[in-house]
Amino acid sequence: MSFDLVVWAMDPAAAPDQVRAANARCAEGVHPQRPADPRVVAFYDALTSSYPDRGPRATAPGSPWASSPLHAAADHIQMRLDENCPDAVLETIERLAAELNLDLLDLQDGTVYPPPVRSGR
């Protein structure tokens, strides 16, 4: 069993429903035709420097990925994680999302976790 998380580069005023709507558009194959958001690029680079999503390490035992490479678009990164993914990987994802002001969407239940600085919404 695997589980999916998606980080989204949204406007700071975006509500959780807007994050879920953006994800629904992605699921339909609708992606913005624009340069990649620098926050998404920084997230991907930082995450995959520790947990590669390409090459032999991406599929080796102990890799956190249930599917690789990760789905990367201009405004989001979708991660399908192995059910045995270490907590350290999840903590890294959460930390990077917060540092880069990215929303984190849990596709299992639709919960949107804004970065702590925006958690007042």
Side-chain angles (χ1 to χ4, degrees):
M1 190 84 179
S2 63
F3 61 101
D4 297 315
L5 296 173
V6 188
V7 291
W8 281 92
M10 302 292 288
D11 182 281
D17 283 343
Q18 291 172 294
V19 176
R20 287 187 284 272
N23 198 75
R25 287 189 296 276
C26 169
E28 294 171 357
V30 178
H31 294 95
Q33 298 301 311
R34 63 181 177 100
D37 187 294
R39 297 173 293 168
V40 170
V41 173
F43 177 88
Y44 179 84
D45 289 346
L47 184 63
T48 60
S49 70
S50 296
Y51 308 105
D53 70 329
R54 297 173 192 275
R57 284 186 54 201
T59 57
S63 170
W65 311 125
S67 175
S68 61
L70 305 181
H71 169 76
D75 56 356
H76 67 281
I77 303 289
Q78 181 172 348
M79 300 154 282
R80 178 159 288 157
L81 294 133
D82 185 84
E83 66 182 7
N84 297 315
C85 174
D87 287 344
V89 177
L90 300 174
E91 291 165 2
T92 299
I93 290 168
E94 291 171 355
R95 178 183 54 79
L96 289 170
E99 288 174 3
L100 295 165
N101 203 28
L102 297 168
D103 288 294
L104 182 61
L105 172 62
D106 182 334
L107 292 183
Q108 285 58 239
D109 64 7
T111 302
V112 176
Y113 300 94
V117 296
R118 290 179 20 215
S119 62
R121 59 177 167 153

